[in-house]
Amino acid sequence: MKNIKVLGSGCRNCEVTANVIAQAAKEAGVEIQLEKITDMAEILGYGVMSTPGVVLDGKVVHAGGIPGPDQVRTWVRD
């Protein structure tokens, strides 16, 4: 199971990012643990200065905007 965290204040882009990830995982038949992190100190701890950010299994893989569907599919499959 992949552990994915969406980092952000809870803005619309953060919600869309979380939904895109959940949908991609569902379509791929991959089980994930999806967590939304809104604590700014924790977000900055990952070095993310522009949200939404995405952390996959402890590693920042995206920051600053909604990731594209192809990019998300790659994350959940690999």
Side-chain angles (χ1 to χ4, degrees):
M1 176 179 349
K2 295 185 182 293
N3 182 304
I4 302 175
K5 297 179 182 181
V6 176
L7 312 177
S9 63
C11 66
R12 174 88 174 118
N13 285 349
C14 299
E15 291 297 321
V16 169
T17 297
N19 291 338
V20 167
I21 293 169
Q23 184 64 32
K26 182 179 178 182
E27 289 172 1
V30 176
E31 190 174 339
I32 63 168
Q33 178 181 5
L34 183 61
E35 185 179 355
K36 297 176 189 173
I37 305 296
T38 58
D39 179 67
M40 287 310 292
E42 190 171 350
I43 292 168
L44 293 174
Y46 283 103
V48 172
M49 302 299 277
S50 181
T51 61
V54 179
V55 176
L56 173 63
D57 294 331
K59 180 181 175 188
V60 176
V61 294
H62 181 80
I66 300 170
D70 290 337
Q71 187 176 18
V72 174
R73 280 192 281 277
T74 300
W75 296 337
V76 298
R77 288 186 187 141
D78 292 344

